[in-house]
């Protein structure tokens, strides 16, 4: 008897319906380096260590992904208290929780169906929490009004990015939507475009000027892209991932004017807006700058901006909470967006509750204010110290250079790879930086992501490393890295 859901050939051999040949071919084009082969190998090495296999190191240091709590960062107490109270309301009877945490939990539960966080919310998110997000944006942008109806709560910012790209991609052949993406970029963008069979129009950030964004380069990329597709969207990551730069206000203005001139939809990935460290740098939201440019721009330029609880000082990656705000979106398209997100029912309500604490934190005079503020400042202060440490340490190693980590959670150092190593990589079917990163992992236990996974100018080699490990571990990591880089260079010179 044939196996259910299998076809039977003339020879009587069962054949699977879903194979590499019959599956969606676009999925095979998807690559996501942050969780790619090197991360899989790091997981295997970790298991080998647990089984007693001898290595030249005793632990795997996962410096590949921006997962703060996995790297030892402590949760923000007030946030966890409120979420715990929402998940198990019996705790509201406990005397171990502060009154303001209980009040927040009761308020959030009051906005949930049946007073339970286990109920579905509206597809766009709990109305009460969307109102709080709107108030947060208004406060952030100096009183500029935000409409809760323009806000969509998401399963992390990634969910919003994917939804917006799904709306934007249309057409066939040279009329197919092209999306302008920074290089280096966060691989979510290239992966989503591959899945949607859309065209990536890469523009290069200027490494020699601390990864700044040059509108002349945007124009070059746009002109080149028009030969293969119809560029309709410009994606910007600020602060930058993986490059750690923070755009100046002038730069943001120039980008908005470029989008207006060339009729491009703007997507502003602003998930690291709390992570600004370098002196003289500040976060400028695209929405605020767009408004300040006046009616010529703020009544016509279409914008979607994104934020998340996975980064910042919170680092609550596992809750999968975030939001998207749209500006100047066609009302009929907004209805289509509501329909699209409704297919997924709703974002996790626990993540929505955690987001509410981020956008509506304790206020002066409330019982939890001082502890909350202290914990927040400690996290951001420590990250600022490690950002400076990272650049200084990399720049002290011959053959390695690293721009100032102005913001976000990563460095993207450039490495010099000898010709013989490039030849050895080619012989193994690897890119030179992938070859380098794998040897770094096998010899030291340090897991980083090769720069080729994010994109880089031809002939240059990089890797992305987070600044999240504890300070003392970072210092020991740099000793291991310095010694490895010297061995590697000597071996292949």
């Amino acid at each position: 008897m044939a196996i259910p859901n299998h076809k039977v050939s003339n020879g009587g051999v069962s054949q699977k319906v879903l194979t590499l040949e019959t599956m969606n071919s676009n999925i095979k084009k998807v690559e996501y380096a942050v969780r790619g082969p090197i991360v899989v190998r790091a997981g295997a090495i970790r298991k080998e260590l647990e089984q007693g296999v001898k290595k030249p190191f005793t632990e795997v240091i996962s410096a590949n992904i921006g997962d703060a709590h996995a790297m030892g960062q402590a949760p923000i107490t007030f946030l966890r208290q409120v979420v715990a109270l929402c998940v198990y309301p019996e705790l509201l009877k406990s005397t171990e929780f502060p009154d303001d945490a209980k009040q927040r939990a009761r308020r959030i539960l009051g906005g949930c169906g049946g007073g339970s966080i286990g109920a579905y919310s509206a597809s766009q998110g709990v109305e009460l929490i969307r109102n709080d997000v709107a108030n947060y944006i208004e406060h952030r942008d100096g009183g500029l009004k935000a409409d809760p109806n323009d806000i969509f709560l998401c399963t992390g910012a990634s969910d919003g990015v994917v939804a917006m790209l799904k709306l934007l991609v249309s057409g066939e052949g040279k009329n197919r939507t092209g999306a302008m993406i920074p290089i280096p970029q966060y691989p979510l963008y290239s992966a989503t475009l591959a899945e949607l069979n859309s065209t990536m129009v890469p523009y290069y950030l200027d490494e020699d000027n601390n990864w700044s964004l040059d509108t002349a380069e945007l124009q070059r990329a746009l002109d080149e892209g028009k030969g293969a597709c119809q560029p309709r969207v410009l994606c910007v990551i600020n602060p930058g991932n993986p490059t750690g730069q923070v755009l100046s206000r002038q730069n943001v203005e120039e980008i908005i004017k470029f989008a207006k001139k060339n009729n491009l939809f703007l997507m502003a990935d602003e998930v690291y807006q709390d992570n600004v460290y370098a002196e003289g740098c500040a976060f400028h939201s695209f929405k605020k700058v767009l408004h300040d440019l006046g009616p010529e721009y703020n009544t016509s330029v279409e914008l979607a901006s994104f934020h998340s609880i996975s980064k910042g000082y919170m680092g609550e990656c596992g809750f999968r909470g975030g939001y998207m705000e749209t500006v100047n979106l066609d009302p009929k398209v907004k209805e289509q967006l509501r329909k699209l997100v409704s297919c997924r029912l709703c974002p996790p309500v626990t993540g929505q509750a955690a987001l509410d604490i981020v956008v509506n934190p304790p206020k002066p005079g409330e019982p939890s204010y001082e502890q909350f503020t202290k914990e927040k400042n400690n996290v951001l202060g420590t990250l600022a110290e490690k950002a400076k440490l990272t650049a200084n340490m990399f720049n002290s190693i011959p053959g390695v250079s690293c721009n100032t980590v102005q913001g976000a959670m990563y460095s993207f150092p450039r490495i010099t790879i000898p010709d013989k190593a490039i030849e050895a990589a080619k012989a193994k079917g690897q890119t030179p930086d992938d070859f380098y990163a794998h040897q770094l992992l096998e010899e030291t236990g340090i897991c980083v992501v090769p720069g080729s996974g994010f994109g880089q100018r031809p002939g240059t080699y990089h890797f992305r490393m987070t600044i999240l490990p504890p300070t003392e571990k970072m210092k020991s990591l740099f000793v291991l890295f310095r010694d490895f880089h010297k061995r590697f260079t000597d071996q292949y010179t």
Side-chain angles (χ1 to χ4, degrees), residues 183-374:
I183 298 297
Q185 54 109 15
Y186 178 48
L188 167 70
Y189 293 91
S190 55
T192 304
L193 293 172
E195 182 181 350
L196 297 173
N197 195 29
S198 183
T199 301
M200 187 171 81
V201 180
Y203 63 88
Y204 289 103
L205 301 178
D206 186 357
E207 183 173 11
D208 292 336
N209 288 294
N210 219 92
W211 301 111
S212 62
L213 199 164
D214 179 15
T215 51
E217 169 59 15
L218 286 178
Q219 189 65 56
R220 179 209 63 77
L222 179 68
D223 293 342
E224 188 173 304
K226 286 178 178 178
C229 62
Q230 180 60 52
R232 291 191 178 98
V233 55
L234 172 57
C235 301
V236 182
I237 307 173
N238 179 47
N241 175 9
T243 43
Q245 86 285 7
V246 178
L247 296 178
S248 68
R249 182 184 174 90
Q250 180 182 349
N251 219 179
V252 175
E253 289 180 358
E254 292 168 348
I255 294 164
I256 292 171
K257 291 177 180 178
F258 180 87
K260 165 76 173 177
K261 175 185 173 184
N262 294 285
N263 198 31
L264 296 169
F265 190 105
L266 262 175
M267 290 177 61
D269 184 335
E270 299 176 334
V271 303
Y272 296 98
Q273 59 189 258
D274 289 311
N275 300 102
V276 178
Y277 316 120
E279 188 174 343
C281 289
F283 170 73
H284 301 283
S285 80
F286 269 81
K287 183 188 179 185
K288 176 66 163 62
V289 177
L290 173 60
H291 172 267
D292 291 350
L293 284 173
E296 180 184 355
Y297 296 93
N298 65 31
T299 60
S300 58
V301 174
E302 296 155 273
L303 167 70
S305 58
F306 309 89
H307 195 18
S308 168
I309 64 172
S310 298
K311 310 304 176 185
Y313 60 91
M314 309 78 71
E316 294 284 7
C317 303
F319 277 121
R320 309 307 300 131
Y323 72 78
M324 166 175 64
E325 183 188 22
T326 62
V327 176
N328 292 326
L329 195 64
D330 185 309
K332 293 181 180 178
V333 173
K334 191 186 295 184
E335 286 306 312
Q336 294 297 314
L337 176 57
R338 288 196 184 99
K339 178 181 72 175
L340 177 62
V341 300
S342 72
C343 295
R344 296 190 179 184
L345 298 179
C346 70
V349 183
T350 46
Q352 295 184 51
L355 172 65
D356 192 70
I357 305 311
V358 175
V359 299
N360 184 26
K363 296 174 176 58
E366 294 181 346
S368 299
Y369 175 76
E370 288 188 13
Q371 182 181 7
F372 177 89
T373 304
K374 180 181 178 181

Side-chain angles (χ1 to χ4, degrees), residues 107-173:
R107 181 173 176 270
I108 292 169
L109 290 172
C112 296
S116 172
I117 206 169
Y120 286 129
S121 75
S123 297
Q124 202 168 336
V126 174
E127 182 179 6
L128 176 145
I129 298 175
R130 286 191 290 114
N131 290 337
D132 287 346
V133 171
N135 291 333
Y136 163 83
I137 293 170
E138 181 177 338
H139 177 75
R140 180 197 68 188
D141 292 341
L144 176 60
K145 290 290 183 183
D147 184 348
N149 292 316
D150 291 333
I151 292 163
F152 293 76
L153 305 191
C154 311
T155 307
S158 302
D159 192 42
V161 169
V162 172
M164 190 52 64
L165 286 174
K166 282 182 176 180
L167 286 180
L168 284 158
V169 172
S170 65
E172 300 293 336

